[in-house]
Amino acid sequence: MSGAAPRSQLVGLKLLTADTTPADDAAAIGWRTDVIDISNNSWGEEDDGQTLFRPDDLLDSAFEAGVENGRGGKGTIYVWSAGNGRDVGDYANYDGFVNRPETIGVGSINFQGRQSWYSESGANVLISAPSDADDGEPGITTTTLTSNGSYTDSFGGTSSAAPLVSGVIALLLESKPALGWRDVQEILIRSARKVDSANTGWITNAAGFHFHHSYGAGMVDAAAAVALAESWNSLATRESREVALGAINAGIPDGASTGVSRSFDLDGDELRVEHVLCAVDIDHVYRGDLVITLTSPSGTVSQFSEVHGDDNEDYENYTFLSVRHWGEMATTGPWIVKVSDGEAGDSGVLRSASIKVFGTAIASGYDAWVGNSFSASEQRNLSIVARGADPDRDGWKNLMEYAMGGNPRVPDGLTPNNLVPVAGASVPTFRFIADAAKHDLTYKLMHSTDLDEWSVLTPIVFETNGTLETREAVLLPGKDRRSFVQLEVSRAN
């Protein structure tokens, strides 16, 4: 009998034998992250459909420290059971542990390849794994021996699905130890296998990833994930954009699907989305009536809550997580938060809302040109990709190849774009071509009579062709007829 990662070493932390404090939980999450590569958590808050759990600052800090410092700075991988309360109306987004970007929310699939009857759905479910179903139906066989010497063959719940995903992640790290915690999440998303494909809940987001609130990206596929990991290039540095709307104070129409909506526009450079956090502050006497959604600029919808029998009040500055927008663009249009009331009889108010999008900046300008011109291995070699490098040895450095529309891999003369004198002009006149679409470049035409002191000429735009501008500068006559002219091109940022 073998598990998913039979040669892994295990460390057990005794946490659930009694009630714990946030300090206890934070200490467990942050314990020896220099040793613990993968933290499997087959536990959580009550799966009763009535509990809205929000981690406190200690827990938030423990998660952030774990991914920043764990595994020598690559990040401890936190795997979390999505919850077993589906039959009582519970939903994974009501669990603050699974709402943390650092955690991988795991759902359960039965032996028929469908959502287990207890497995909670949510916009924060990233992946699913096989587990059990009804009594008498196949469950998970483990290496634990029973009293009669046979193996346990009825392990189940999302508590069983999560460690199976943890085992697959162990295989990923064995294959490529340098993977970061976000790399692991995207590899799982990309390699997941679509199950229950006839179910109408599946969507394909604008980045081409398939998601379902019940399954996340699908069922974990160990072979596909390991194969992808072997050639994986690490994600770029994580950035974020956020916007908040305070004092909305908009009434939520009672029992009306129209609800109340607010739009959010993110400023800054474009961002390729990974995690999206949406926080809402809502006054409502029966929060189980509410349906809360977030729609991306691309039209992908994340549902954070559904109508259920929770008779408690309010969403008090509560933060939801979605992974369904992974790979989409963050700033191409508005994000829309909508709150509607699915049952008549109670009223409420949307007080405020905010969104925070995490991801990586989209390469543009020279950086994008490098990415398109050179292979991944070449991009790691500065003698090839540095601005001053000349890999094709044609006398044109990379920055000039980019500026002049050249090919850095093939020697070329770049004659059409060179700085050239205008034949037949009554006074010395020079022209060069600049690409106005390359906003990261500055062009400076320099003049000297002695190659010692240089002055800047101010060219005018002589003609345009699309984004290309032919710029022209005239040298005024002087006593010294000797003139030297050169074109300097540099990056503006």
Side-chain angles (χ1 to χ4, degrees), residues 6-354:
R7 296 177 182 174
S8 298
Q9 295 179 319
L10 302 179
V11 175
L13 299 182
K14 187 176 181 181
L15 182 65
L16 303 179
T17 56
D19 290 339
T20 61
T21 66
D24 296 329
D25 295 342
I29 291 166
W31 192 81
R32 291 305 304 271
T33 56
D34 59 325
V35 172
I36 298 175
D37 294 338
I38 305 163
S39 174
N40 182 81
N41 295 270
S42 294
W43 62 283
E45 292 302 305
E46 292 293 330
D47 295 326
D48 57 8
Q50 302 281 322
T51 302
L52 195 66
F53 172 69
R54 179 178 61 190
D56 72 355
D57 292 343
L58 280 175
L59 287 167
D60 289 344
S61 297
F63 280 120
E64 291 167 359
V67 298
E68 184 173 344
N69 304 319
R71 288 195 308 125
K74 296 181 289 294
T76 294
I77 314 298
Y78 292 100
V79 180
W80 223 279
S81 300
N84 300 331
R86 179 185 171 209
D87 60 321
V88 293
D90 212 350
Y91 200 72
N93 279 113
Y94 306 151
D95 186 336
F97 287 119
V98 194
N99 278 329
R100 289 296 310 181
E102 301 85 0
T103 65
I104 297 172
V106 181
S108 292
I109 298 173
N110 64 24
F111 72 103
Q112 296 174 318
R114 298 190 183 95
Q115 182 182 17
S116 298
W117 60 268
Y118 52 79
S119 183
E120 295 175 23
S121 302
N124 54 1
V125 176
L126 188 136
I127 196 82
S128 294
S131 189
D132 67 343
D134 291 322
D135 290 342
E137 294 179 335
I140 300 298
T141 299
T142 78
T143 55
T144 301
L145 295 175
T146 64
S147 57
N148 63 10
S150 62
Y151 291 109
T152 298
D153 61 3
S154 58
F155 186 34
T158 54
S159 292
S160 168
L164 183 52
V165 170
S166 292
V168 172
I169 295 171
L171 299 178
L172 297 183
L173 298 185
E174 180 184 39
S175 171
K176 192 156 188 176
L179 292 173
W181 66 277
R182 294 159 44 236
D183 297 324
V184 169
Q185 293 194 18
E186 180 154 338
I187 288 171
L188 292 177
I189 290 170
R190 285 182 175 271
S191 61
R193 189 189 312 168
K194 195 174 183 179
V195 293
D196 192 15
S197 58
N199 191 302
T200 58
W202 283 105
I203 60 100
T204 300
N205 73 9
F209 297 134
H210 49 72
F211 282 100
H212 194 296
H213 282 99
S214 299
Y215 302 107
M219 185 173 73
V220 66
D221 187 326
V226 170
L228 185 58
E230 289 174 345
S231 59
W232 185 258
N233 292 315
S234 297
L235 293 171
T237 302
R238 188 184 189 220
E239 299 182 18
S240 66
R241 311 275 186 272
E242 62 182 310
V243 61
L245 293 179
I248 296 174
N249 297 326
I252 304 168
D254 186 24
S257 61
T258 52
V260 57
S261 300
R262 288 295 184 270
S263 296
F264 298 78
D265 290 300
L266 294 170
D267 295 328
D269 295 335
E270 187 55 271
L271 203 68
R272 178 182 180 270
V273 177
E274 294 171 11
H275 304 95
V276 182
L277 296 177
C278 176
V280 294
D281 190 18
I282 300 172
D283 290 347
H284 200 282
V285 297
Y286 197 102
R287 70 184 178 209
D289 286 355
L290 300 179
V291 176
I292 304 170
T293 62
L294 174 69
T295 303
S296 72
S298 302
T300 301
V301 177
S302 290
Q303 183 167 332
F304 296 131
S305 68
E306 56 187 8
V307 176
H308 66 295
D310 183 357
D311 60 1
N312 290 290
E313 299 179 350
D314 305 339
Y315 283 91
E316 187 177 351
N317 294 315
Y318 190 79
T319 301
F320 300 103
L321 167 70
S322 176
V323 295
R324 288 165 58 86
H325 308 285
W326 200 288
E328 294 187 337
M329 298 296 104
T331 65
T332 54
W335 293 77
I336 300 173
V337 174
K338 179 181 178 181
V339 182
S340 60
D341 189 325
E343 296 285 347
D346 301 293
S347 60
V349 176
L350 173 61
R351 296 296 184 193
S352 63
S354 65

Side-chain angles (χ1 to χ4, degrees), residues 408-468:
R409 309 183 69 86
V410 179
D412 45 30
L414 293 174
T415 303
N417 291 329
N418 287 351
L419 174 66
V420 294
V422 177
S426 59
V427 293
T429 304
F430 293 85
R431 291 176 184 165
F432 66 94
I433 294 178
D435 191 341
K438 295 174 180 175
H439 302 293
D440 57 334
L441 293 181
T442 57
Y443 300 82
K444 188 181 293 185
L445 192 59
M446 307 293 294
H447 169 247
S448 176
T449 59
D450 57 8
L451 295 179
D452 185 21
E453 295 184 359
W454 293 83
S455 59
V456 179
L457 299 175
T458 304
I460 63 170
V461 177
F462 177 74
E463 63 181 8
T464 60
N465 181 12
T467 64
L468 299 180

Side-chain angles (χ1 to χ4, degrees), residues 383-405:
S383 68
I384 295 176
V385 300
R387 300 178 198 178
D390 181 15
D392 58 4
R393 299 183 180 181
D394 64 353
W396 290 88
K397 296 178 181 180
N398 281 336
L399 189 62
M400 289 299 292
E401 296 266 20
Y402 164 62
M404 301 302 184

